[in-house]
Amino acid sequence: MSTDKKPLSATARAVGERIGSLRDFIEFLEENGQCITWTNEIMPEPDVRNIAVAAGRDSMNGPAVIFNNIAGYPGKKLVLGVHGSFTNLALLLGHPKGTTIKELFYDIISRWGDDKPLLDFIEPEAAPVNENRLTDNFNLYDLLPLYRINEYDGGFYIGKANVVSRDPRDPDNFGKQNVGIYRIQVQAPGEFTLLSIPAHDMGRHIMAAEQEGVPLKISVMLGNHPAMCMFAATPVGYEESEFAYASQMMGSPLRLTKSGNGMDILADSEMIIEAELMNGVRTFEGPFGEFPGSYSGVRKIPRFKVTAISHRNDPIFENIYIGRGWTEHDTLIGLNTSAPIYAQLIKDFPEVVAVNALYQHGLTGVISVKNRFAGFAKSVAMRALGTPHGTMYLKNLIMVDDDVDPFDLNEVMWALSTRTRADDTIVIPNMPLIPIDPGAEVAGKGHRLIIDATSFMPPDKLGSDSKIVTPPAGPEIDEIAKVIQLLQNGVNS
Amino acid sequence: MSTCPRCQAAEEKIRVEHKGLNAQGELVWTIFHCNACEFTWRDSEPAISIDYDTREAFFRVDPEKPYPVIMPPAQYK
Ligand SMILES: [Zn+2]
């Protein structure tokens, strides 16, 4: 899938070329005042979660935080919040601070696709991730500064791993190689559980391996190129490559190499944990504070055994705070959740202007559309519910006109206040819904709500005698707003 | 070390996973794991996470009870 491309700006190209790894991006964030280092000694619990939550309060401008003085982990480094604010994403895409979410949305849309992948393959011996290689006596508790993310989690979680797996029935197929973010709970020094469900690519691979009695090998990539994390969390087609999407978004090659167990991996990641499924084993996992802001319960899930570990010198452990929103999870996946829904909708409905599916992975979405005729927005809403992501996630949909920025909640609330009739809402009962929704009466099933907050059109007479005030708007006003912000921050423009 | 903070399993079901040392090699904390309910904890954590009586009862686990199994392997047989 791809959208209409615009050439990248010179700045965006330069940033793409400069950032080849997590380390490069951290350095770039530091230069731009978007990454701080917490040097005071802290305890793993509760200090890490306390500081992560405080730093993440500002979803527009919050910084990443490096911890380099964790008691009991001398010399170890942890980083959180790398994707914790929209400004951090703006910098990654070569934009200045103050870039709006809507501008980022359109930029990501214009880069969206996998038709022009930029992938360089290098020999494993030349890959920085192979600077150190362990083949026995694994101890994840020692290698990584692990900690409990939320106070009732069942253990210590790795929440931002990008996991590579291949279809065990078709292991030579690059397209059927999947990169996904799956939560990992460390269960022993050299073993962990990984949560997937049958609908996920990884779930399919696990079931295939156990059905056929063949080994399932995976490579867990930690501390990755920041674009990789964004696409590992993006629902792309089963035969599409997340590596291809990530490289195309950056407009610059990603360096890949082969892991010891045959997966394609990022050559510049901080650590690769190679592991193998323990066929037929299921282990207690959870609870874990998840993105809807509630704990998912205790379950018995598949377990993996570490077979080898590669890591850079002084590896940086990158993790995420996740829980009741807003959190880094929302910033990490929000725009990449919105973009494919938009790309799928405009194929049939070019009147769609923008899609905001930022909230709880799209449990609530706002779609801006130019009404072709009365009731048109409802037809678009129905189509959105039929997109791959919409089928399981879009629980509440708010439809607004093309003059409303769906990313600006003040504008959305204005549309709700002035353009909604109570009988312009639709409830569709008993639809499929992700099991994790805490509002579900039965897990896996729920009702959908469509609120049509678009204006009335003929033949509907309602509202025909009111005229909307036209305040100054457009690029000129946006520019003035940015100047005002700079003046307020004491920067001479 | 005593019983599991989550399921109250006895001491013999609990194993030491890792000891965290400071730069001088002195013990800072110890990580434990319960073989009965698979809970992992560090002895330096706040009571809300590691003290059975302080923890909300909602989060207790009884390993003898049935819990949902993700992709039950039995389905292939
Ligand atoms: Zn226990």
Side-chain angles (χ1 to χ4, degrees):
Chain A
M1 189 180 70
S2 64
T3 55
D4 290 336
K5 306 291 184 308
K6 271 181 268 169
L8 293 186
S9 71
T11 318
R13 272 205 314 278
V15 172
E17 278 163 25
R18 172 174 171 182
I19 295 168
S21 66
L22 172 68
R23 292 181 183 209
D24 296 341
F25 189 48
I26 287 175
E27 191 183 80
F28 187 60
L29 290 176
E30 282 173 336
E31 285 170 22
N32 286 277
Q34 285 297 121
C35 180
I36 60 163
T37 299
W38 198 276
T39 54
N40 289 344
E41 188 180 58
I42 56 161
M43 290 303 287
E45 300 88 7
D47 296 340
V48 172
R49 86 175 69 104
N50 289 352
I51 297 163
V53 167
R57 273 189 185 168
D58 181 354
S59 63
M60 273 318 290
N61 296 307
V65 183
I66 295 173
F67 299 90
N68 63 5
N69 194 359
I70 306 171
Y73 282 120
K76 295 279 192 292
K77 265 191 189 175
L78 164 71
V79 64
L80 298 176
V82 170
H83 298 81
S85 63
F86 286 104
T87 290
N88 285 12
L89 299 191
L91 290 170
L92 177 65
L93 299 177
H95 297 285
K97 284 186 183 184
T99 303
T100 65
I101 301 173
K102 197 178 182 184
E103 286 171 312
L104 290 176
F105 171 77
Y106 285 122
D107 188 25
I108 284 178
I109 288 292
S110 80
R111 299 167 183 233
W112 196 263
D114 62 345
D115 50 319
K116 293 187 189 67
L118 298 160
L119 302 171
D120 286 346
F121 287 84
I122 67 168
E123 290 302 317
E125 300 74 47
V129 72
N130 285 327
E131 282 165 355
N132 304 275
R133 176 103 180 142
L134 309 172
T135 52
D136 55 10
N137 294 322
F138 311 111
N139 185 357
L140 295 171
Y141 297 107
D142 184 40
L143 280 168
L144 301 168
L146 293 170
Y147 59 96
R148 192 181 313 278
I149 296 180
N150 280 299
E151 57 196 14
Y152 282 112
D153 288 350
F156 303 159
Y157 275 85
I158 300 172
K160 214 178 177 183
N162 296 184
V163 185
V164 191
S165 64
R166 287 189 167 205
D167 190 328
R169 293 164 305 194
D170 191 6
D172 297 325
N173 189 323
F174 181 78
K176 283 192 194 165
Q177 175 172 262
N178 169 256
V179 188
I181 294 191
Y182 302 98
R183 72 188 209 207
I184 287 174
Q185 183 182 347
V186 176
Q187 296 277 4
E191 291 178 21
F192 57 83
T193 47
L194 179 151
L195 182 69
S196 184
I197 56 172
H200 291 153
D201 294 342
M202 176 65 81
R204 295 189 202 191
H205 294 171
I206 290 171
M207 289 192 294
E210 292 188 333
Q211 260 162 358
E212 316 261 325
V214 293
L216 174 65
K217 295 172 180 181
I218 62 171
S219 284
V220 178
M221 305 191 291
L222 298 182
N224 304 306
H225 188 292
M228 191 72 241
C229 293
M230 293 173 70
F231 280 93
T234 300
V236 305
Y238 187 57
E239 303 219 353
E240 296 179 324
S241 162
E242 292 83 0
F243 289 120
Y245 273 98
S247 66
Q248 191 158 321
M249 187 182 83
M250 294 307 293
S252 187
L254 275 183
R255 299 207 306 171
L256 300 184
T257 189
K258 274 269 183 283
S259 68
N261 62 0
M263 305 294 129
D264 292 300
I265 52 162
L266 292 172
D268 298 284
S269 289
E270 294 295 321
M271 185 179 288
I272 306 289
I273 303 171
E274 296 169 17
E276 194 172 315
L277 176 69
M278 298 164 76
N279 274 17
V281 177
R282 296 294 183 270
T283 294
F284 280 116
E285 190 260 7
F288 182 63
E290 270 286 3
F291 68 85
S294 43
Y295 287 95
S296 65
V298 175
R299 285 170 275 196
K300 290 186 158 182
I301 76 163
R303 183 172 178 122
F304 289 77
K305 201 177 193 62
V306 178
T307 53
I309 294 174
S310 289
H311 68 83
R312 296 178 68 142
N313 296 332
D314 301 321
I316 305 166
F317 175 42
E318 184 191 18
N319 212 2
I320 190 167
Y321 178 76
I322 177 168
R324 182 168 164 177
W326 195 270
T327 74
E328 179 180 3
H329 182 266
D330 299 303
T331 327
L332 172 65
I333 67 169
L335 288 169
N336 279 33
T337 304
S338 308
I341 300 172
Y342 171 83
Q344 285 143 11
L345 286 179
I346 53 164
K347 277 192 228 159
D348 299 327
F349 299 118
E351 294 85 353
V352 172
V353 179
V355 174
N356 171 357
L358 300 182
Y359 300 100
Q360 284 63 57
H361 210 348
L363 281 179
T364 293
V366 188
I367 298 178
S368 152
V369 60
K370 188 174 171 53
N371 261 332
R372 211 188 291 169
F373 39 74
F376 180 70
K378 294 184 190 69
S379 301
V380 174
M382 298 291 186
R383 176 74 185 88
L385 296 186
T387 59
H389 192 71
T391 303
M392 294 305 283
Y393 285 84
L394 287 176
K395 181 171 73 163
N396 310 310
L397 253 187
I398 303 168
M399 307 302 292
V400 297
D401 285 295
D402 57 328
D403 65 345
V404 173
D405 175 355
F407 295 102
D408 184 334
L409 292 191
N410 285 341
E411 291 194 24
V412 173
M413 292 308 289
W414 173 76
L416 279 174
S417 302
T418 62
R419 291 176 174 173
T420 312
R421 295 179 289 192
D423 62 356
D424 243 355
T425 57
I426 303 168
V427 174
I428 311 173
N430 298 315
M431 297 278 283
L433 200 63
I434 46 152
I436 207 172
D437 172 30
E441 287 163 56
V442 182
K445 215 176 92 176
H447 314 319
R448 304 301 180 97
L449 170 65
I450 298 169
I451 302 175
D452 187 351
T454 60
S455 46
F456 321 114
M457 291 189 78
D460 198 335
K461 289 195 184 65
L462 213 90
S464 57
D465 58 348
S466 70
K467 278 283 165 232
I468 293 171
V469 176
T470 313
E476 192 188 344
I477 306 303
D478 295 343
E479 277 312 306
I480 296 174
K482 281 181 192 169
V483 171
I484 290 171
Q485 205 174 23
L486 290 174
L487 289 170
Q488 192 181 2
N489 293 339
V491 180
N492 295 321
S493 54
Chain B
M1 181 171 64
S2 51
T3 57
C4 169
R6 181 162 83 162
C7 77
Q8 278 192 310
E11 197 164 330
E12 58 266 24
K13 299 244 174 163
I14 291 161
R15 63 175 200 251
V16 172
E17 290 284 75
H18 181 63
K19 290 175 187 292
L21 310 178
N22 65 16
Q24 290 73 46
E26 298 156 341
L27 180 69
V28 186
W29 41 252
T30 304
I31 296 174
F32 299 96
H33 186 88
C34 170
N35 292 328
C37 79
E38 311 288 355
F39 187 64
T40 309
W41 73 99
R42 192 184 332 260
D43 58 4
S44 60
E45 289 190 67
I48 194 160
S49 295
I50 63 166
D51 177 64
Y52 184 84
D53 293 319
T54 309
R55 288 170 56 89
E56 260 188 66
F58 179 86
F59 290 101
R60 286 175 191 162
V61 166
D62 179 354
E64 299 307 316
K65 282 196 180 149
Y67 282 82
V69 179
I70 300 293
M71 298 182 281
Q75 72 193 5
Y76 313 128
K77 300 209 171 96

